Amino acid sequence: MAMNCFNIPRTGSWRSAAGFLYRKVCDALPSHRHVGGRLAVGITCAVLVCSNACQASDPPLEDFGYGTMRTNRTQPLAIILVNFTNQGMPANISHPFPMGPGIADTNYAAAENYYSNWVVRVSKTNPSINGYLFEASNGRMGCSLAGITMLTLDTNCNYNGIAALVGGRNGTADAHYASNFLWWAASKPGFAGITNLDVNHNGNITNDECTLVLLSNDETVGGGARGPYNFPLPNSSLRWDGKFTFQNVNDAPLVVVNHEIIHVMQGGHSRDIYGKDEDLSDGYTIMGGGRDIVHPDPWHKLQLAWCEPRIQSLRESALLTLPAAQFMRSNAPVILYDPASAQRGFQEFFLLEYRTSTPASVGSGYDSGVAGNGLVIWHVQQDGNKNPIEYTVTYHPTAERSWARCSNCRGLFFMDGSNRPCPLGNTNHVAEATNLCLPYVSSAGGVPGWASCQKCSQLFYSPNVTSSACTAGGKHLAGVRDYRLRRDDDPEALGVRGWAPCSKCQSLCYGTGGTPGLCPSGGSHTITAGTPSYTVLWWPSMFAIMTAGSPDLARGRGEAWGGGTATPLLRWYDGTLSGTRIVVQPFAAEADEITIEIQSSYDTWVDFPYGGTEDGSFTFPFNTFVEGADAVYPGGILTIKTGTSSETRHVTKPMRIKSYGGSVTIGRP
């Protein structure tokens, strides 16, 4: 039996006579540590050769979603600065440039110069949109200034003024607000150049051709990417066809504006990596809810074709080096996936990267605000169209929606349309955080015993019903469902943390870190010291793209994995464990790169006398060496139960072969 690529490095070559190979195989590949024994390989001639050709071919990056969003280009930006004359900015604002409270003390030239530099100038001392995009995209993208102008308007034209005319803060108000500014700005000399941006000459200027950034001192407007809109431009046959970004300059640091610009570049996609109440990325992506300047996560970079991660099977042990994000190496991240799983394959995988605010050789750059130094593990699940899966809908499809937090009692109540009393004057609950959801099946995991009161609609801990108090009078009256909550310290917990039962009324209330709200027993809720706190799931816009943090792979939280740490076995979103863990080798505080070890414990089993169903597991092993050798993944372990086979096989990939339960003979009659 000839074997090549047999448990040796993937470079170089080794030739040996049969007898020498026999001894080396037995010595280098010890038997199962619990049993003992040796592997006797019967061969007449063996040639052991290893080369790069032995490596299994990697799937294309497109299988993981590479380039599915709008991709590399120099993006023209058009900036509209709007100064509302009788609504001044706070006196202490220093960045961005303060727009003055009136015409007399507004320096238009200084404002336009400031924002011109803020957009396009690239230097160590001048952080800019252009500089950020260049570094984050690994040098593949930047921006240019298509036009900049400043408008002076009366406060009656601010967002609240427009909303009052159209019946509320809604999409109609957004459209009127945007169209007014575009119409006025497009008539100014500073915007004349945008009429040359219709590159494909279809009569529309789209976001591929220009992104419009609206900055104002309007404190009544909420920030964000709005649209798309299709508006005519004055004195032109062209139309604007795309999204805007709205921002109050008092709430527009570089991180916020770049966050919104990336949204616009995504076109129809909108991928924030945070939930309703708390940041789920722990400061490791600009697409989270943080306020410090950081790089995008590697999933966004992959989708935008800003990087080409290395692809690594989690069934194959490996030693990998990860350079810091600021080094702008397009292959710095690593995709870790399971090629043997038809269920997961390219749809559920891990992305590994090294993040640090202080790499010694290049400085902090635009990752200066990153939350920690070390290995960051991103866990991704997406559908067949490479769109991330909404977590709670997928994993808790039976969870009951329409729960909300009351702003008065801070309790969790069910919005079923009925009039349910709140401890504040026996009035109805007032929802301030809606669309929370509660699983009620045992497969959801978590702590059982939570029930909805049929009288006040609040969630309470039913085992303590005798010591409860209901706003509607008497004790709580439990409904039929047994809801499940995960504790905050459960690594599987996802959602709004900081809920706990009041010791006086047993209702679940929000506020373990602050004011817990009004209690039907009088005064505020009381949370006894040492009472466990719980997490309540929310369901809108919580995608399955989140960190798996140290020390327990907590979803969306925890710390970066520091030097000398090891993860538990990586865990899939359905709670099952992989056979792989990651070890981070020690590194200096300002290291330019780190080294990680992928430790895989996947075994493929063979038992020659076995005659039942086969899948290569211990319970259902293959019954031929050929089947086992074909099934094992490169770098994996083939374990053979004691026995004899006359088979011969040319082994064409690296693997480790072990015996189990005694000696094994292959290749001899």
Side-chain angles (χ1 to χ4, degrees):
M1 177 177 66
M3 298 182 179
N4 66 347
C5 297
F6 192 88
N7 193 38
I8 62 171
R10 285 180 166 179
T11 58
S13 63
W14 180 23
R15 292 182 175 269
S16 171
F20 182 70
L21 173 62
Y22 174 86
R23 290 192 299 274
K24 283 296 181 181
V25 168
C26 296
D27 294 341
L29 306 178
S31 60
H32 195 282
R33 60 182 178 178
H34 300 299
V35 179
R38 62 190 181 88
L39 173 65
V41 182
I43 42 184
T44 58
C45 180
V47 178
L48 194 63
V49 179
C50 183
S51 69
N52 287 333
C54 301
Q55 301 182 41
S57 60
D58 293 327
L61 283 169
E62 286 75 10
D63 286 345
F64 299 95
Y66 177 77
T68 60
M69 295 178 183
R70 301 187 180 191
T71 186
N72 313 325
R73 60 189 182 274
T74 297
Q75 179 69 11
L77 301 182
I79 311 296
I80 302 177
L81 309 174
V82 184
N83 182 50
F84 290 95
T85 57
N86 34 344
Q87 183 177 330
M89 293 302 300
N92 62 352
I93 186 171
S94 59
H95 180 77
F97 188 91
M99 297 182 192
I103 297 175
D105 57 356
T106 297
N107 187 334
Y108 299 117
E112 292 177 0
N113 181 67
Y114 174 88
Y115 282 103
S116 295
N117 287 333
W118 197 59
V119 170
V120 298
R121 186 180 175 192
V122 178
S123 74
K124 290 280 188 183
T125 59
N126 185 81
S128 66
I129 298 172
N130 191 24
Y132 175 84
L133 292 175
F134 183 80
E135 181 178 296
S137 69
N138 295 314
R140 299 178 178 186
M141 182 165 181
C143 67
S144 60
L145 191 59
I148 184 168
T149 193
M150 192 167 190
L151 305 174
T152 301
L153 302 174
D154 188 88
T155 303
N156 291 330
C157 298
N158 70 7
Y159 189 86
N160 274 356
I162 297 293
L165 293 175
V166 301
R169 300 173 65 90
N170 50 39
T172 302
D174 293 348
H176 280 291
Y177 191 72
S179 64
N180 284 346
F181 299 142
L182 178 62
W183 185 270
W184 290 322
S187 303
K188 300 278 187 178
F191 251 52
I194 68 169
T195 57
N196 298 321
L197 295 177
D198 180 20
V199 178
N200 60 5
H201 306 292
N202 67 349
N204 291 312
I205 299 175
T206 65
N207 286 137
D208 277 334
E209 295 163 328
C210 186
T211 295
L212 198 152
V213 179
L214 176 63
L215 296 172
S216 76
N217 64 348
D218 183 357
E219 295 183 341
T220 71
V221 68
R226 312 288 178 86
Y229 304 122
N230 190 282
F231 299 140
L233 296 178
N235 305 315
S236 173
S237 61
L238 296 175
R239 300 181 68 88
W240 180 273
D241 184 16
K243 288 187 175 183
F244 288 49
T245 72
F246 293 1
Q247 211 66 50
N248 175 341
V249 292
N250 195 33
D251 189 35
L254 196 65
V255 58
V256 173
V257 175
N258 276 311
H259 171 105
E260 302 303 343
I261 287 173
I262 290 175
H263 271 312
V264 172
M265 289 192 299
Q266 293 175 24
H269 301 273
S270 181
R271 304 295 179 247
D272 287 330
I273 304 181
Y274 55 78
K276 284 180 67 66
D277 282 21
E278 293 188 53
D279 181 13
L280 263 182
S281 69
D282 279 333
Y284 294 108
T285 176
I286 198 171
M287 303 313 293
R291 305 291 294 182
D292 295 317
I293 191 70
V294 293
H295 275 228
D297 53 277
W299 183 85
H300 270 89
K301 290 185 179 182
L302 174 72
Q303 298 279 325
L304 290 163
W306 287 359
C307 70
E308 288 79 33
R310 291 163 284 171
I311 299 174
Q312 171 69 36
S313 165
L314 56 68
R315 291 177 176 265
E316 181 180 357
S317 298
L319 202 64
L320 304 170
T321 299
L322 305 179
Q326 294 94 324
F327 277 86
M328 299 170 59
R329 295 180 186 170
S330 63
N331 67 344
V334 170
I335 291 173
L336 191 63
Y337 82 113
D338 185 359
S341 173
Q343 173 189 356
R344 297 183 176 95
F346 313 125
Q347 295 186 352
E348 186 175 1
F349 54 92
F350 300 91
L351 274 161
L352 314 179
E353 63 172 350
Y354 170 42
R355 303 291 291 278
T356 175
S357 60
T358 56
S361 297
V362 296
S364 59
Y366 287 93
D367 218 16
S368 59
V370 72
N373 293 359
L375 170 69
V376 180
I377 303 173
W378 292 91
H379 190 178
V380 177
Q381 185 164 16
Q382 50 198 27
D383 60 23
N385 295 320
K386 318 307 179 199
N387 292 313
I389 289 175
E390 202 288 308
Y391 177 81
T392 50
V393 170
T394 302
Y395 296 101
H396 302 287
T398 60
E400 191 171 65
R401 272 79 170 137
S402 298
W403 285 81
R405 184 176 67 215
C406 176
S407 61
N408 296 323
C409 68
R410 308 287 278 173
L412 189 67
F413 73 98
F414 185 59
M415 298 189 300
D416 60 356
S418 303
N419 292 325
R420 304 295 189 186
C422 172
L424 180 64
N426 217 27
T427 59
N428 295 335
H429 291 295
V430 177
E432 66 172 353
T434 59
N435 294 322
L436 300 171
C437 70
L438 295 180
Y440 55 86
V441 293
S442 59
S443 60
V447 178
W450 298 92
S452 174
C453 177
Q454 297 183 53
K455 297 188 294 180
C456 70
S457 79
Q458 286 192 248
L459 193 75
F460 72 99
Y461 190 55
S462 60
N464 294 344
V465 66
T466 56
S467 61
S468 69
C470 177
T471 306
K475 310 298 182 184
H476 287 303
L477 179 62
V480 296
R481 285 179 173 169
D482 181 18
Y483 298 98
R484 306 292 175 120
L485 296 180
R486 289 191 180 271
R487 290 175 48 162
D488 284 353
D489 58 5
D490 186 337
E492 295 283 344
L494 272 176
V496 184
R497 298 183 283 278
W499 296 79
C502 170
S503 60
K504 296 188 297 181
C505 70
Q506 298 303 317
S507 296
L508 188 73
C509 59
Y510 180 69
T512 57
T515 304
L518 300 173
C519 178
S521 296
S524 297
H525 289 298
T526 299
I527 300 173
T528 304
T531 300
S533 57
Y534 295 88
T535 297
V536 176
L537 286 169
W538 61 78
W539 64 271
S541 303
M542 186 166 75
F543 298 108
I545 311 171
M546 55 190 71
T547 55
S550 175
D552 53 6
L553 296 171
R555 302 206 190 286
R557 48 199 169 110
E559 305 294 331
W561 297 85
T565 61
T567 73
L569 292 176
L570 296 178
R571 189 173 61 251
W572 301 107
Y573 273 121
D574 62 9
T576 60
L577 297 178
S578 73
T580 300
R581 62 171 43 87
I582 303 173
V583 176
V584 183
Q585 295 190 355
F587 60 88
E590 297 182 351
D592 291 343
E593 60 186 25
I594 62 173
T595 300
I596 62 172
E597 182 182 356
I598 310 298
Q599 293 186 348
S600 176
S601 60
Y602 287 93
D603 282 19
T604 300
W605 289 82
V606 170
D607 185 7
F608 300 132
Y610 178 72
T613 301
E614 301 177 336
D615 63 9
S617 65
F618 180 88
T619 306
F620 305 109
F622 297 118
N623 60 13
T624 68
F625 177 80
V626 170
E627 289 175 307
D630 286 346
V632 70
Y633 277 78
I637 301 172
L638 179 63
T639 304
I640 307 173
K641 298 182 182 182
T642 184
T644 300
S645 172
S646 60
E647 298 174 86
T648 60
R649 180 63 168 174
H650 194 85
V651 179
T652 59
K653 55 190 168 185
M655 67 180 71
R656 185 181 180 196
I657 303 176
K658 301 191 302 183
S659 65
Y660 177 87
S663 64
V664 173
T665 301
I666 305 173
R668 291 177 181 167

Coordinates of all heavy atoms in Angstrom, one line a residue, residues 355-382:
R355 N -7.7 42.2 16.2 CA -8.0 43.6 16.4 C -7.2 44.2 17.6 O -7.1 43.6 18.6 CB -9.5 43.8 16.7 CG -10.4 43.2 15.6 CD -10.3 44.0 14.3 NE -10.9 45.3 14.4 CZ -12.2 45.6 14.3 NH1 -13.1 44.6 14.1 NH2 -12.7 46.8 14.4
T356 N -6.7 45.3 17.4 CA -5.9 46.0 18.4 C -5.9 47.5 18.2 O -5.9 47.9 17.0 CB -4.4 45.5 18.5 OG1 -3.7 46.3 19.4 CG2 -3.7 45.6 17.1
S357 N -5.9 48.3 19.2 CA -5.8 49.7 19.0 C -4.4 50.2 19.0 O -4.2 51.4 18.7 CB -6.5 50.4 20.2 OG -5.9 50.1 21.4
T358 N -3.4 49.4 19.2 CA -2.0 49.8 19.3 C -1.0 48.9 18.6 O -0.1 48.4 19.2 CB -1.6 50.0 20.8 OG1 -1.8 48.7 21.4 CG2 -2.4 51.1 21.5
P359 N -1.2 48.6 17.3 CA -0.1 47.8 16.7 C 1.2 48.7 16.6 O 1.1 49.9 16.1 CB -0.7 47.5 15.3 CG -1.7 48.6 15.0 CD -2.2 49.0 16.4
A360 N 2.3 48.1 17.0 CA 3.5 48.9 17.1 C 4.0 49.6 15.8 O 4.5 50.7 15.8 CB 4.6 48.1 17.7
S361 N 3.9 48.9 14.7 CA 4.5 49.4 13.5 C 3.7 50.4 12.7 O 4.3 51.2 12.0 CB 4.8 48.2 12.5 OG 5.7 47.3 13.1
V362 N 2.4 50.5 12.9 CA 1.6 51.4 12.1 C 0.8 52.4 12.9 O 0.2 53.3 12.3 CB 0.7 50.6 11.1 CG1 1.5 49.9 10.1 CG2 -0.3 49.7 11.8
G363 N 0.7 52.2 14.2 CA -0.1 53.1 15.0 C -1.6 52.7 15.0 O -2.0 51.8 14.3
S364 N -2.4 53.4 15.7 CA -3.8 53.1 16.0 C -4.7 53.2 14.7 O -5.6 52.4 14.5 CB -4.4 53.9 17.1 OG -4.3 55.3 16.8
G365 N -4.3 54.1 13.9 CA -5.1 54.3 12.6 C -6.6 54.5 13.0 O -7.0 55.1 13.9
Y366 N -7.5 53.9 12.1 CA -8.9 54.1 12.3 C -9.5 53.0 13.0 O -10.8 52.8 13.0 CB -9.6 54.2 10.9 CG -9.3 55.6 10.2 CD1 -8.2 55.7 9.3 CD2 -10.1 56.7 10.5 CE1 -7.9 56.9 8.7 CE2 -9.8 57.9 9.9 CZ -8.7 58.0 9.0 OH -8.5 59.2 8.4
D367 N -8.7 52.2 13.8 CA -9.2 51.2 14.7 C -8.9 51.6 16.1 O -8.8 50.7 17.0 CB -8.7 49.8 14.4 CG -9.7 48.7 14.5 OD1 -10.9 49.0 14.6 OD2 -9.3 47.5 14.6
S368 N -8.7 52.9 16.4 CA -8.2 53.4 17.7 C -9.3 53.1 18.8 O -8.9 53.0 19.9 CB -7.9 54.9 17.6 OG -9.1 55.6 17.2
G369 N -10.5 53.0 18.4 CA -11.6 52.9 19.4 C -12.0 51.4 19.7 O -13.0 51.2 20.4
V370 N -11.3 50.5 19.1 CA -11.7 49.1 19.2 C -11.7 48.7 20.7 O -10.9 49.1 21.5 CB -10.8 48.1 18.4 CG1 -9.4 48.0 19.0 CG2 -11.4 46.8 18.2
A371 N -12.7 47.8 21.1 CA -13.0 47.5 22.5 C -11.9 46.7 23.2 O -11.8 46.8 24.4 CB -14.3 46.8 22.6
G372 N -11.1 45.9 22.5 CA -10.1 45.1 23.1 C -9.1 44.6 22.1 O -9.2 44.7 20.9
N373 N -8.0 44.1 22.7 CA -6.9 43.6 21.9 C -6.9 42.1 21.9 O -6.8 41.5 22.9 CB -5.5 44.1 22.4 CG -5.4 45.6 22.2 OD1 -6.3 46.3 21.7 ND2 -4.3 46.1 22.7
G374 N -6.9 41.5 20.7 CA -6.8 40.0 20.6 C -7.6 39.5 19.5 O -8.0 40.2 18.6
L375 N -7.8 38.1 19.6 CA -8.6 37.4 18.6 C -10.1 37.8 18.7 O -10.6 37.7 19.8 CB -8.4 35.9 18.7 CG -9.3 35.0 17.9 CD1 -9.0 35.2 16.4 CD2 -9.2 33.6 18.3
V376 N -10.7 38.2 17.6 CA -12.2 38.4 17.6 C -12.8 37.4 16.7 O -12.4 37.2 15.6 CB -12.5 39.8 17.2 CG1 -14.0 40.0 17.2 CG2 -11.9 40.9 18.0
I377 N -13.7 36.6 17.3 CA -14.4 35.6 16.6 C -15.8 36.1 16.2 O -16.6 36.4 17.1 CB -14.5 34.3 17.4 CG1 -13.1 33.8 17.8 CG2 -15.3 33.2 16.6 CD1 -13.2 32.7 18.8
W378 N -16.1 36.1 14.9 CA -17.5 36.5 14.4 C -18.2 35.2 14.0 O -17.7 34.4 13.3 CB -17.4 37.4 13.3 CG -16.9 38.8 13.7 CD1 -15.6 39.2 13.6 CD2 -17.6 39.9 14.1 NE1 -15.5 40.5 14.1 CE2 -16.7 40.9 14.4 CE3 -19.0 40.1 14.4 CZ2 -17.1 42.2 14.9 CZ3 -19.4 41.3 14.8 CH2 -18.5 42.4 15.1
H379 N -19.4 35.0 14.5 CA -20.2 33.8 14.1 C -21.3 34.3 13.2 O -22.1 35.2 13.5 CB -20.8 33.2 15.4 CG -21.5 31.9 15.2 ND1 -22.0 31.2 16.2 CD2 -21.7 31.2 14.1 CE1 -22.5 30.1 15.7 NE2 -22.3 30.0 14.4
V380 N -21.4 33.7 12.0 CA -22.3 34.2 10.9 C -23.2 33.1 10.5 O -22.7 31.9 10.4 CB -21.4 34.7 9.7 CG1 -22.4 35.1 8.6 CG2 -20.5 35.8 10.1
Q381 N -24.4 33.4 10.3 CA -25.3 32.5 9.6 C -26.1 33.3 8.6 O -26.7 34.3 8.9 CB -26.2 31.7 10.5 CG -27.1 30.7 9.8 CD -27.7 29.6 10.6 OE1 -27.8 29.8 11.8 NE2 -28.1 28.5 10.0
Q382 N -26.2 32.8 7.4 CA -27.0 33.5 6.3 C -27.7 32.5 5.5 O -27.5 31.3 5.6 CB -26.0 34.3 5.5 CG -24.8 33.5 5.0 CD -23.6 34.5 4.5 OE1 -23.5 35.6 4.9 NE2 -22.8 34.0 3.6

